[in-house]
């Protein structure tokens, strides 16, 4: 089996830095757009054969070192009675704004609500047959609450931040329910065969450190502890969070996913003995010419310098308009990088 991704998550030595890309299945791929003309997004997520097909599409083009099951962070919220549509982002039928609404949410077991996710994970494991490990995922409670309270994706997510300061106990009550739901959800995916899991905190960066600790980190700590006995690596991705990285280590995840704003070399210097890191090429860098993409990819690998515990990735999800040639340039820069080349280049410069 190709296990360099799992080895890097555990900070073990690897033959080369593993690479996968957040949102690697999706609209930048013509074959995904073709698939989406035939089926709507929710049907795609809820039909195991089709979800596996979408998951495998990027792997047929690129030699990525991990696959992430095709789904969405919002789908398991059906377990709490939340109804939504996608266009393309999630839109809640009824935003959650009151204490009474939070109290009325009763939690159903994930195995009943999203059985298709477990089926898709097992099917994917069989199809891949060890070619790459499978990553399961969930949204972090704070990020999920941002969508639930706002009702849709919105710059700044003012509604959840207002609730945080005006009615912190209500938000904490909602976060509690989401924490239990997501622990159950990750356990279901791991039982079905997921070999690592990622917790996406896409909106944690909206918070200053004290609020991050209480409303984002605390729930994630409980989720990490709640799946620890299952023995798979956990990745915690904190978007827009250079000011939160030192606190985020306390989640006790195996890997911290860095957004593109963090200087990865300096972050390794400071915290590399405590956690592995994933990232962090700016997703907009993929709009540069291929040679520039390769140079920027190499710069990140140089900054890490081959230290164990690095999973190469973007600093946020790949964007729909991204050229395929840029992904190819990133892949070959990762494949051809060696510390020895670095030394040779330095010698040449001298
Ligand atoms: O390869 C993969 O990573 C695919 C699986 C995946 C999707 N969403 C599919 C999807 C994953 C891991 C996600 C996570 C997700 N979903 C996050 C966290 C990551 C991040 O980008 O911060 C968030 C915040 C969401 C919520 C969400 N779902 C948004 C904001 C959108 C719309 C805009 C967008 O980025 O595409 C979705 C819909 C969605 N989820 C699509 C896909 C492929 C597009 C739907 C379509 O095909 O029309």
């Amino acid at each position: 089996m190709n296990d360099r991704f799992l080895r890097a998550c555990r900070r073990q030595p690897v033959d080369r830095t593993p690479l996968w890309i957040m949102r690697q299945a999706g609209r930048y791929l013509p074959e995904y757009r073709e698939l989406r003309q035939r089926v709507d997004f929710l049907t795609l997520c809820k039909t195991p054969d089709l979800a596996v097909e979408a998951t495998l599409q990027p792997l047929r083009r690129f030699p990525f070192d991990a696959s992430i099951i095709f789904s969405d962070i919002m789908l398991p919220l059906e377990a709490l009675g939340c109804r939504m549509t996608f266009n393309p982002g999630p839109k809640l039928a009824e935003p959650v704004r009151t204490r009474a609404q939070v109290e009325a949410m009763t939690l159903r077991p994930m195995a009943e609500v999203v059985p298709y996710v477990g089926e898709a994970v097992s099917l994917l494991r069989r199809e891949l047959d060890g070619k790459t490990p499978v990553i399961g995922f969930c949204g972090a409670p704070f990020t999920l609450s941002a969508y639930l309270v706002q009702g849709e994706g919105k710059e700044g997510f003012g509604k959840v931040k207002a609730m945080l300061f005006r009615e912190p106990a209500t938000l904490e009550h909602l976060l509690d329910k989401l924490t239990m739901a997501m622990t159950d959800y990750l356990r279901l995916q791991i039982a079905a065969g997921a070999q690592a899991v990622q917790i996406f905190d896409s909106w944690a960066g909206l918070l200053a450190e004290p609020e991050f600790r209480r409303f984002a980190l605390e729930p994630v700590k409980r989720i990490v502890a709640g799946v620890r006995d299952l023995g798979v690596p956990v990745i915690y991705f904190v978007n827009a969070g250079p000011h939160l990285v030192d606190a985020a280590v306390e989640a006790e995840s195996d890997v911290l996913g860095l957004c593109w704003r963090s200087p990865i070399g300096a972050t390794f210097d400071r915290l590399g003995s405590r956690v592995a890191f994933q990232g962090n090429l700016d997703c907009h860098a993929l709009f540069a010419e291929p040679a520039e993409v390769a140079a920027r990819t190499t710069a990140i690998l140089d900054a890490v310098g081959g230290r164990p515990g690095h999973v190469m990735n973007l600093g946020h999800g790949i964007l729909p308009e991204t050229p395929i040639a840029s992904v190819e340039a990133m892949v070959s820069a990762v494949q051809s990088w060696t510390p020895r080349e670095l030394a040779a280049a330095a010698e040449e410069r001298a």
Side-chain angles (χ1 to χ4, degrees), residues 48 67 78 85 98 113 139-140 143 159 168 215 247 292:
S67 11
E78 280 186 27
T85 51
T98 64
V113 182
T143 286
K159 298 260 190 272
F215 299 97
E292 179 69 15

Side-chain angles (χ1 to χ4, degrees), residues 30 224 230:
V224 174
L230 300 177

Side-chain angles (χ1 to χ4, degrees), residues 2-10 12-21 63-66 133 277-279 297 301 307-314 330-331 334-335:
N2 170 1
D3 67 346
R4 58 171 81 86
F5 162 74
L6 294 173
R7 291 182 60 83
C9 288
R10 300 191 166 105
Q12 294 162 346
V14 283
D15 58 341
R16 71 158 170 80
T17 304
L19 168 68
W20 69 282
I21 288 184
F64 289 142
D65 297 298
F277 290 104
Q278 176 174 280
T297 303
L301 297 170
R307 281 175 278 193
H310 181 216
V311 175
M312 186 64 194
N313 205 315
L314 297 177
M330 184 178 180
V331 167
V334 172
Q335 285 183 324

